[in-house]
Amino acid sequence: MSVLINDIEVVKTETSKINDIDFDNLKFGQVYSDHMLVCDYENGAWKAPKVMPYQNISLEPSAKIFHYGQSVFEGMKAYKDADGGVWLFRPMENFNRLNISSKRLAIPEIPEAYFLDGLKTLLEVDQDWIPQKEGSSLYIRPFVFASGTGLHASPANAYKFIICTAPSGSYFSGKVKVLIETKYSRSANGGVGYAKAGGNYAGQFYPTQLAIDKGYQQVIWTDDTSHEYIEEAGAMNVFIRINDTLITSPTSDRILDGITRKSLIDLARSKGINVEVRKIKVSELVEAAENGSLKELFGAGTAAVISPIAGFGYQGKDYELPELKETYASSLKKAITDIQTNKAEDPFGWRYKVL
Amino acid sequence: MSVLINDIEVVKTETSKINDIDFDNLKFGQVYSDHMLVCDYENGAWKAPKVMPYQNISLEPSAKIFHYGQSVFEGMKAYKDADGGVWLFRPMENFNRLNISSKRLAIPEIPEAYFLDGLKTLLEVDQDWIPQKEGSSLYIRPFVFASGTGLHASPANAYKFIICTAPSGSYFSGKVKVLIETKYSRSANGGVGYAKAGGNYAGQFYPTQLAIDKGYQQVIWTDDTSHEYIEEAGAMNVFIRINDTLITSPTSDRILDGITRKSLIDLARSKGINVEVRKIKVSELVEAAENGSLKELFGAGTAAVISPIAGFGYQGKDYELPELKETYASSLKKAITDIQTNKAEDPFGWRYKVL
């Protein structure tokens, strides 16, 4: 039996799984809330979204998602404050980027109301799934994929837009060491690197596994032409602190326009930190590590928030970062999570109240 | 109820669709045979494959195929000769390339027997679906995708290997005009371009649609660094005939090692045609078109076989190919399809008898 919430059809589960979940020991993205939002594209239009119990999807083997990787996604988080208020962080940025990604992958763009009202309704229905504990949040995964069939390599005529959510703890555990990659590449000039396209991630798994086998957790990608310039870390953008200047690469058609990245640039500047958005040579990083001017290296992304990097490998040599008592990484992480979780003023207007 | 054929468990459909199919008017990859082969990877091993009725696949919304594009595929064809004999063309090449692709995408490799015995059994069960009409064949689509769940961007712990088949006519209809692309790119140095990875195809859809809107059918990709060199056409490798020399680009980590491509190189050489495998500048193609030495341009791939190109666009200008009476494209197409369909001797040992 369905009810209408915010004019959206909602079918509630009869068997909630919430009591099976250990909210004190959450991993990242491994348990899913009771409901999901589903929206179908058929006959040239997106149909009205529905909230329904989290359940399996049934597809023909000839559905194009299985063959041609036609999919895009987003990553967001919902936070619950001390008073039980529920917040999102810059959701319109995710909405806009989802459609930018979709356009590049020849996927029809989603109407704003279906995305935002759909998400708000889903969060209302599953509000008890949003963790309140510090460091935890409800990870939100909107994704769109080709459900239409056919073995011709061309765009599908049917798609599914789904949002599922997962109460989650931190993305990385322990110290993060990264390998600066000079053989494999993440993306091409004129390619899909700026889009959150599924295929961008699968292509990183093998080189990342090779790095893990060598004792690193992540790869920092360099440009595919010269391998001289630092790009991004695949699941994170990268920030480098040399002396008291924070440097990050400009976005391009190869680099994701990270929402945490651009928020940190604004936050750091508002704290009086000198931020340079410019291309960075690996040689500059290495030189700074050698002469002691390299103070910090960290990744930034929705899933990982800010992930300090303890060391990096490059061309067979390992470089350690100094262990500072006070870091930009920790002060910026506190500043952004305080805004996200309604513990601090929000001079930028980034916080978005859901409930 | 299941039976054993070639030691493989087979569950036959009770309701064949074969009488609904118009075998005289087949399109490409739009109708599927009654059965499919399914093989699951779980707990670190591929389980024995099964043949079962073609049916929907049920997956959790958190299955990694929907999020991270972790999938690879192959394209093959089965041919039925005048005596009802059933043939494949160089199937071990497809098997080997599937595993090369899988390795790059961090997908566990398939055992040879599961692939080959599985495919033979599937073809035996669905042998009535193999068209005998000239220009038609049974298109075979082996594919592997991540069925394991989790929102962490890392390889799945479960996969499905499926083979489905589709009685098919030709891939292209009518004259093919191509656009030489100089803005968008298909693949990066050090990327996954040499693999038949799903994401390689989705990334081409939007630029191809832009080309279609301008009156072309396909894009010829150039290298992403300089856009000066001809790479491949996405669903086909490219051959250029200048005077009496046939030229094709060498394979690389950006270019698919096409089975039709390498077969044509051998076939052409056996006919005494001078074949050069070397990098080709777009400027060389344009110059040859302008001075009249450009005789032919064609694409080569399993789906399209050989697809003559009638003209190409480059930087806003269109170039027409001459209409020759006797072309390398048509003589090579006849030679390769005669071998594939058991109408000619097979000095290379490419043909593989299934039934």
PDB file of all heavy atoms in Angstrom, chain B residues 16 23 55-56 59 103 112 165 198 213 223 228 248 253 260 282 294 298 300 307 311 315 342:
ATOM      1  N   SER B  16      10.040 -21.954 -26.563  1.00  0.00           N
ATOM      2  CA  SER B  16      10.973 -21.338 -27.508  1.00  0.00           C
ATOM      3  C   SER B  16      10.325 -20.144 -28.202  1.00  0.00           C
ATOM      4  O   SER B  16       9.136 -20.161 -28.527  1.00  0.00           O
ATOM      5  CB  SER B  16      11.408 -22.362 -28.555  1.00  0.00           C
ATOM      6  OG  SER B  16      12.183 -21.709 -29.543  1.00  0.00           O
ATOM      7  N   PHE B  23      13.732 -14.336 -39.635  1.00  0.00           N
ATOM      8  CA  PHE B  23      15.143 -14.532 -39.962  1.00  0.00           C
ATOM      9  C   PHE B  23      15.544 -13.877 -41.284  1.00  0.00           C
ATOM     10  O   PHE B  23      16.728 -13.777 -41.584  1.00  0.00           O
ATOM     11  CB  PHE B  23      15.491 -16.029 -39.964  1.00  0.00           C
ATOM     12  CG  PHE B  23      15.775 -16.578 -38.587  1.00  0.00           C
ATOM     13  CD1 PHE B  23      14.741 -16.970 -37.739  1.00  0.00           C
ATOM     14  CD2 PHE B  23      17.076 -16.675 -38.111  1.00  0.00           C
ATOM     15  CE1 PHE B  23      15.004 -17.453 -36.462  1.00  0.00           C
ATOM     16  CE2 PHE B  23      17.349 -17.149 -36.835  1.00  0.00           C
ATOM     17  CZ  PHE B  23      16.304 -17.543 -36.008  1.00  0.00           C
ATOM     18  N   GLN B  55      17.011 -15.201 -19.544  1.00  0.00           N
ATOM     19  CA  GLN B  55      16.093 -14.647 -18.550  1.00  0.00           C
ATOM     20  C   GLN B  55      16.731 -13.466 -17.849  1.00  0.00           C
ATOM     21  O   GLN B  55      17.941 -13.261 -17.927  1.00  0.00           O
ATOM     22  CB  GLN B  55      15.755 -15.713 -17.505  1.00  0.00           C
ATOM     23  CG  GLN B  55      16.966 -16.221 -16.743  1.00  0.00           C
ATOM     24  CD  GLN B  55      16.659 -17.487 -15.943  1.00  0.00           C
ATOM     25  OE1 GLN B  55      16.188 -17.395 -14.825  1.00  0.00           O
ATOM     26  NE2 GLN B  55      16.912 -18.632 -16.553  1.00  0.00           N
ATOM     27  N   ASN B  56      15.901 -12.712 -17.145  1.00  0.00           N
ATOM     28  CA  ASN B  56      16.396 -11.537 -16.430  1.00  0.00           C
ATOM     29  C   ASN B  56      17.381 -11.925 -15.329  1.00  0.00           C
ATOM     30  O   ASN B  56      17.340 -13.029 -14.791  1.00  0.00           O
ATOM     31  CB  ASN B  56      15.228 -10.768 -15.814  1.00  0.00           C
ATOM     32  CG  ASN B  56      14.616  -9.798 -16.810  1.00  0.00           C
ATOM     33  OD1 ASN B  56      14.761  -9.976 -18.023  1.00  0.00           O
ATOM     34  ND2 ASN B  56      13.950  -8.781 -16.318  1.00  0.00           N
ATOM     35  N   LEU B  59      19.785  -8.237  -9.398  1.00  0.00           N
ATOM     36  CA  LEU B  59      20.973  -7.730  -8.706  1.00  0.00           C
ATOM     37  C   LEU B  59      20.580  -6.711  -7.654  1.00  0.00           C
ATOM     38  O   LEU B  59      19.639  -5.942  -7.845  1.00  0.00           O
ATOM     39  CB  LEU B  59      21.901  -7.024  -9.700  1.00  0.00           C
ATOM     40  CG  LEU B  59      22.575  -7.871 -10.766  1.00  0.00           C
ATOM     41  CD1 LEU B  59      23.226  -6.957 -11.795  1.00  0.00           C
ATOM     42  CD2 LEU B  59      23.607  -8.804 -10.151  1.00  0.00           C
ATOM     43  N   LYS B 103      41.920  -8.721 -16.810  1.00  0.00           N
ATOM     44  CA  LYS B 103      43.055  -8.410 -15.941  1.00  0.00           C
ATOM     45  C   LYS B 103      43.180  -6.890 -15.736  1.00  0.00           C
ATOM     46  O   LYS B 103      43.370  -6.421 -14.612  1.00  0.00           O
ATOM     47  CB  LYS B 103      44.338  -8.973 -16.561  1.00  0.00           C
ATOM     48  CG  LYS B 103      45.538  -8.845 -15.641  1.00  0.00           C
ATOM     49  CD  LYS B 103      46.767  -9.503 -16.227  1.00  0.00           C
ATOM     50  CE  LYS B 103      47.959  -9.264 -15.300  1.00  0.00           C
ATOM     51  NZ  LYS B 103      49.216  -9.737 -15.891  1.00  0.00           N
ATOM     52  N   GLU B 112      39.687 -21.532 -19.351  1.00  0.00           N
ATOM     53  CA  GLU B 112      39.467 -21.770 -20.785  1.00  0.00           C
ATOM     54  C   GLU B 112      38.293 -22.727 -21.041  1.00  0.00           C
ATOM     55  O   GLU B 112      37.473 -22.495 -21.926  1.00  0.00           O
ATOM     56  CB  GLU B 112      40.746 -22.342 -21.405  1.00  0.00           C
ATOM     57  CG  GLU B 112      40.633 -22.583 -22.889  1.00  0.00           C
ATOM     58  CD  GLU B 112      41.909 -23.203 -23.478  1.00  0.00           C
ATOM     59  OE1 GLU B 112      43.010 -22.820 -23.058  1.00  0.00           O
ATOM     60  OE2 GLU B 112      41.775 -24.072 -24.365  1.00  0.00           O
ATOM     61  N   THR B 165      23.396 -14.849 -27.113  1.00  0.00           N
ATOM     62  CA  THR B 165      23.580 -14.824 -28.563  1.00  0.00           C
ATOM     63  C   THR B 165      22.371 -14.183 -29.239  1.00  0.00           C
ATOM     64  O   THR B 165      21.263 -14.207 -28.690  1.00  0.00           O
ATOM     65  CB  THR B 165      23.789 -16.244 -29.148  1.00  0.00           C
ATOM     66  OG1 THR B 165      22.577 -16.991 -29.022  1.00  0.00           O
ATOM     67  CG2 THR B 165      24.917 -16.981 -28.444  1.00  0.00           C
ATOM     68  N   GLY B 198      33.615  -1.967 -20.773  1.00  0.00           N
ATOM     69  CA  GLY B 198      32.351  -1.284 -21.007  1.00  0.00           C
ATOM     70  C   GLY B 198      32.503   0.228 -21.102  1.00  0.00           C
ATOM     71  O   GLY B 198      32.007   0.860 -22.039  1.00  0.00           O
ATOM     72  N   ASP B 213      24.717  14.011 -35.552  1.00  0.00           N
ATOM     73  CA  ASP B 213      23.924  15.229 -35.778  1.00  0.00           C
ATOM     74  C   ASP B 213      24.471  16.051 -36.944  1.00  0.00           C
ATOM     75  O   ASP B 213      23.740  16.838 -37.554  1.00  0.00           O
ATOM     76  CB  ASP B 213      23.909  16.099 -34.514  1.00  0.00           C
ATOM     77  CG  ASP B 213      23.131  15.438 -33.378  1.00  0.00           C
ATOM     78  OD1 ASP B 213      22.390  14.467 -33.648  1.00  0.00           O
ATOM     79  OD2 ASP B 213      23.286  15.869 -32.222  1.00  0.00           O
ATOM     80  N   ASP B 223      44.833  10.395 -31.367  1.00  0.00           N
ATOM     81  CA  ASP B 223      45.490  10.326 -30.055  1.00  0.00           C
ATOM     82  C   ASP B 223      45.117  11.544 -29.215  1.00  0.00           C
ATOM     83  O   ASP B 223      44.941  12.644 -29.735  1.00  0.00           O
ATOM     84  CB  ASP B 223      47.010  10.265 -30.246  1.00  0.00           C
ATOM     85  CG  ASP B 223      47.567  11.577 -30.774  1.00  0.00           C
ATOM     86  OD1 ASP B 223      47.320  11.867 -31.969  1.00  0.00           O
ATOM     87  OD2 ASP B 223      48.192  12.314 -30.005  1.00  0.00           O
ATOM     88  N   GLU B 228      46.891  14.310 -33.777  1.00  0.00           N
ATOM     89  CA  GLU B 228      47.497  14.282 -35.118  1.00  0.00           C
ATOM     90  C   GLU B 228      47.483  12.895 -35.740  1.00  0.00           C
ATOM     91  O   GLU B 228      47.650  12.747 -36.948  1.00  0.00           O
ATOM     92  CB  GLU B 228      48.951  14.775 -35.043  1.00  0.00           C
ATOM     93  CG  GLU B 228      49.072  16.274 -34.878  1.00  0.00           C
ATOM     94  CD  GLU B 228      50.522  16.722 -34.860  1.00  0.00           C
ATOM     95  OE1 GLU B 228      51.415  15.900 -35.178  1.00  0.00           O
ATOM     96  OE2 GLU B 228      50.769  17.876 -34.505  1.00  0.00           O
ATOM     97  N   THR B 248      47.548   0.431 -41.643  1.00  0.00           N
ATOM     98  CA  THR B 248      46.735   0.466 -40.422  1.00  0.00           C
ATOM     99  C   THR B 248      47.637   0.791 -39.246  1.00  0.00           C
ATOM    100  O   THR B 248      48.833   0.469 -39.253  1.00  0.00           O
ATOM    101  CB  THR B 248      45.958  -0.862 -40.218  1.00  0.00           C
ATOM    102  OG1 THR B 248      44.983  -0.678 -39.176  1.00  0.00           O
ATOM    103  CG2 THR B 248      46.875  -2.010 -39.834  1.00  0.00           C
ATOM    104  N   ASP B 253      48.465   0.639 -26.078  1.00  0.00           N
ATOM    105  CA  ASP B 253      47.572   0.555 -24.925  1.00  0.00           C
ATOM    106  C   ASP B 253      46.319   1.414 -25.110  1.00  0.00           C
ATOM    107  O   ASP B 253      45.432   1.396 -24.285  1.00  0.00           O
ATOM    108  CB  ASP B 253      48.300   0.892 -23.602  1.00  0.00           C
ATOM    109  CG  ASP B 253      48.946   2.266 -23.605  1.00  0.00           C
ATOM    110  OD1 ASP B 253      48.827   2.982 -24.603  1.00  0.00           O
ATOM    111  OD2 ASP B 253      49.567   2.615 -22.586  1.00  0.00           O
ATOM    112  N   THR B 260      39.603  -9.143 -36.365  1.00  0.00           N
ATOM    113  CA  THR B 260      39.399  -8.931 -37.797  1.00  0.00           C
ATOM    114  C   THR B 260      40.591  -8.158 -38.358  1.00  0.00           C
ATOM    115  O   THR B 260      41.105  -8.492 -39.435  1.00  0.00           O
ATOM    116  CB  THR B 260      38.088  -8.164 -38.040  1.00  0.00           C
ATOM    117  OG1 THR B 260      37.024  -8.858 -37.389  1.00  0.00           O
ATOM    118  CG2 THR B 260      37.784  -8.052 -39.528  1.00  0.00           C
ATOM    119  N   VAL B 282      46.846  12.264 -39.574  1.00  0.00           N
ATOM    120  CA  VAL B 282      45.656  12.732 -40.274  1.00  0.00           C
ATOM    121  C   VAL B 282      46.073  13.546 -41.496  1.00  0.00           C
ATOM    122  O   VAL B 282      45.463  13.446 -42.565  1.00  0.00           O
ATOM    123  CB  VAL B 282      44.771  13.590 -39.346  1.00  0.00           C
ATOM    124  CG1 VAL B 282      43.494  14.013 -40.074  1.00  0.00           C
ATOM    125  CG2 VAL B 282      44.415  12.834 -38.071  1.00  0.00           C
ATOM    126  N   LEU B 294      44.610   8.606 -52.283  1.00  0.00           N
ATOM    127  CA  LEU B 294      43.761   7.872 -51.327  1.00  0.00           C
ATOM    128  C   LEU B 294      42.700   7.101 -52.098  1.00  0.00           C
ATOM    129  O   LEU B 294      41.833   7.696 -52.741  1.00  0.00           O
ATOM    130  CB  LEU B 294      43.094   8.852 -50.350  1.00  0.00           C
ATOM    131  CG  LEU B 294      42.168   8.187 -49.327  1.00  0.00           C
ATOM    132  CD1 LEU B 294      42.945   7.284 -48.384  1.00  0.00           C
ATOM    133  CD2 LEU B 294      41.388   9.247 -48.537  1.00  0.00           C
ATOM    134  N   PHE B 298      38.494   1.959 -44.832  1.00  0.00           N
ATOM    135  CA  PHE B 298      37.441   1.080 -44.297  1.00  0.00           C
ATOM    136  C   PHE B 298      37.714   0.693 -42.860  1.00  0.00           C
ATOM    137  O   PHE B 298      38.838   0.719 -42.374  1.00  0.00           O
ATOM    138  CB  PHE B 298      37.218  -0.158 -45.181  1.00  0.00           C
ATOM    139  CG  PHE B 298      38.435  -1.032 -45.441  1.00  0.00           C
ATOM    140  CD1 PHE B 298      38.760  -2.072 -44.581  1.00  0.00           C
ATOM    141  CD2 PHE B 298      39.215  -0.827 -46.574  1.00  0.00           C
ATOM    142  CE1 PHE B 298      39.856  -2.895 -44.841  1.00  0.00           C
ATOM    143  CE2 PHE B 298      40.319  -1.639 -46.833  1.00  0.00           C
ATOM    144  CZ  PHE B 298      40.642  -2.675 -45.969  1.00  0.00           C
ATOM    145  N   ALA B 300      37.192  -2.233 -39.776  1.00  0.00           N
ATOM    146  CA  ALA B 300      37.210  -3.690 -39.666  1.00  0.00           C
ATOM    147  C   ALA B 300      36.948  -4.094 -38.221  1.00  0.00           C
ATOM    148  O   ALA B 300      37.592  -3.592 -37.304  1.00  0.00           O
ATOM    149  CB  ALA B 300      38.563  -4.229 -40.118  1.00  0.00           C
ATOM    150  N   SER B 307      33.698  -2.470 -43.265  1.00  0.00           N
ATOM    151  CA  SER B 307      32.723  -1.429 -43.550  1.00  0.00           C
ATOM    152  C   SER B 307      33.394  -0.329 -44.360  1.00  0.00           C
ATOM    153  O   SER B 307      34.159   0.473 -43.825  1.00  0.00           O
ATOM    154  CB  SER B 307      32.199  -0.887 -42.222  1.00  0.00           C
ATOM    155  OG  SER B 307      31.235   0.099 -42.447  1.00  0.00           O
ATOM    156  N   GLY B 311      33.321   8.602 -47.121  1.00  0.00           N
ATOM    157  CA  GLY B 311      33.868   9.949 -47.011  1.00  0.00           C
ATOM    158  C   GLY B 311      34.199  10.252 -45.570  1.00  0.00           C
ATOM    159  O   GLY B 311      33.772   9.544 -44.657  1.00  0.00           O
ATOM    160  N   GLN B 315      38.099  18.895 -39.580  1.00  0.00           N
ATOM    161  CA  GLN B 315      38.218  20.343 -39.372  1.00  0.00           C
ATOM    162  C   GLN B 315      37.310  21.146 -40.318  1.00  0.00           C
ATOM    163  O   GLN B 315      37.731  22.100 -40.958  1.00  0.00           O
ATOM    164  CB  GLN B 315      39.689  20.778 -39.514  1.00  0.00           C
ATOM    165  CG  GLN B 315      40.520  20.224 -38.350  1.00  0.00           C
ATOM    166  CD  GLN B 315      41.955  20.698 -38.366  1.00  0.00           C
ATOM    167  OE1 GLN B 315      42.477  21.045 -39.416  1.00  0.00           O
ATOM    168  NE2 GLN B 315      42.610  20.678 -37.206  1.00  0.00           N
ATOM    169  N   ASN B 342      33.011 -21.375 -44.267  1.00  0.00           N
ATOM    170  CA  ASN B 342      33.405 -22.673 -44.833  1.00  0.00           C
ATOM    171  C   ASN B 342      33.145 -22.777 -46.335  1.00  0.00           C
ATOM    172  O   ASN B 342      32.818 -23.841 -46.851  1.00  0.00           O
ATOM    173  CB  ASN B 342      32.691 -23.817 -44.099  1.00  0.00           C
ATOM    174  CG  ASN B 342      33.324 -25.180 -44.395  1.00  0.00           C
ATOM    175  OD1 ASN B 342      34.525 -25.255 -44.672  1.00  0.00           O
ATOM    176  ND2 ASN B 342      32.531 -26.229 -44.336  1.00  0.00           N
TER     177      ASN B 342
END
